[in-house]
Amino acid sequence: MGKEIEMKLLTTQAGCHRLFAARTVTKTALPVTEKRLSLKNIYYDTKDGALNRERMAYRVRVTNGSAYEATIKQKVHPQEAFLSAVNIPCPKGRTPVTEGFPPEVTRRLKDLLHGESLVPTVTITFVRHAMDLAAGKSRVELSLDEGIIESGDRSQSLREVEFELKEGDPAALFELVSHLAGEIPLYPEDRSKLERGLFLLAGKTPQESCDDAVKVPKTFADAARFLREILHD
């Protein structure tokens, strides 16, 4: 496994429309890498939240309406990003699978379930538009996720921009963000999509897009808390 460094930000609807036409993007874009995906992430837990209490997440991702994949993620400490992930194909139309993961993961999952069923808790439906950018000798993937986060009868719009360092210097990532922040509205977001969905699940009022958010910090050091280092498999 290698380390992945990324920055997640929120933007406005206007920012979504202008993102890939922004000068910072057009002058660094590698068009051959451009892709669009239709994604649905369905997160599951027991009715009493047994997985979440143990800092585990179970996700079924549907890509372009046909490819199903089940993923189990595990945190080591509450304040860390998910540090490990196991992915397996998931048959279409089936309830969440509990078999097929590595034996230690399957045992851990079944111990937490205690015979209970997994039920959907958060659904995130979005379109991802992504492209690699070249910044000197560094390479950064820019992606825009537009859609909706839903839990029960509560929902929140999703307009998330992510920069992920593929290779090179982390400072190049922040330099791109800094330049782009001068062209479109960008606001740091240190919560994952799932964390925002769990906020809705708890019955809390969604923190809607950016009106009171802090703008992107002006220096790389100030942005440290918005950069994540997570294991990439």
Side-chain angles (χ1 to χ4, degrees), residues 2-102:
K3 282 188 176 180
E4 176 183 302
I5 297 176
E6 63 183 29
M7 179 183 282
K8 292 182 183 291
L9 306 112
L10 301 182
T11 190
T12 61
Q13 189 169 13
C16 290
H17 293 158
R18 289 156 43 198
L19 175 61
F20 285 91
R23 184 171 181 273
T24 299
V25 174
T26 58
K27 74 178 184 180
T28 59
L30 299 171
V32 70
T33 65
E34 186 173 13
K35 59 186 176 184
R36 294 177 186 269
L37 297 171
S38 175
L39 300 169
K40 177 180 281 189
N41 294 344
I42 309 168
Y43 288 90
Y44 292 84
D45 204 338
T46 61
K47 289 182 178 179
D48 65 349
L51 301 190
N52 186 49
R53 284 199 304 275
E54 295 300 318
R55 302 190 291 275
M56 181 181 282
Y58 188 114
R59 182 190 73 195
V60 172
R61 168 170 284 181
V62 186
T63 302
N64 293 333
S66 58
Y68 284 63
E69 182 181 64
T71 300
I72 291 179
K73 298 182 179 184
Q74 177 71 63
K75 286 185 179 182
V76 176
H77 300 293
Q79 300 306 315
E80 290 180 335
F82 287 107
L83 291 184
S84 62
V86 180
N87 308 299
I88 65 169
C90 182
K92 181 177 179 179
R94 289 263 310 269
T95 54
V97 295
T98 56
E99 303 288 349
F101 298 102

Side-chain angles (χ1 to χ4, degrees), residues 89-213:
C90 182
K92 181 177 179 179
R94 289 263 310 269
T95 54
V97 295
T98 56
E99 303 288 349
F101 298 102
E104 67 276 11
V105 176
T106 297
R107 284 195 298 270
R108 175 66 172 153
L109 178 60
K110 290 185 175 181
D111 285 345
L112 290 175
L113 292 179
H114 292 298
E116 290 189 55
S117 298
L118 287 166
V119 297
T121 56
V122 175
T123 299
I124 307 166
T125 307
F126 58 103
V127 174
R128 173 168 292 168
H129 183 186
M131 182 189 293
D132 286 0
L133 309 179
K137 295 181 179 180
S138 300
R139 187 174 177 133
V140 175
E141 182 183 63
L142 166 66
S143 61
L144 170 65
D145 292 345
E146 278 191 276
I148 189 167
I149 302 172
E150 299 173 286
S151 182
D153 60 354
R154 303 174 68 82
S155 65
Q156 179 178 16
S157 60
L158 172 66
R159 292 188 286 267
E160 182 178 276
V161 178
E162 179 180 312
F163 289 82
E164 179 186 332
L165 184 70
K166 293 296 188 180
E167 59 183 46
D169 186 353
L173 181 153
F174 187 69
E175 184 177 1
L176 284 170
V177 174
S178 298
H179 288 310
L180 189 58
E183 298 184 72
I184 68 170
L186 290 174
Y187 306 85
E189 174 57 86
D190 56 358
R191 298 174 302 160
S192 69
K193 294 180 182 69
L194 173 58
E195 287 169 331
R196 280 172 270 169
L198 293 175
F199 194 83
L200 298 175
L201 181 65
K204 298 178 181 178
T205 302
Q207 298 175 351
E208 279 291 353
S209 306
C210 313
D211 291 340
D212 300 317

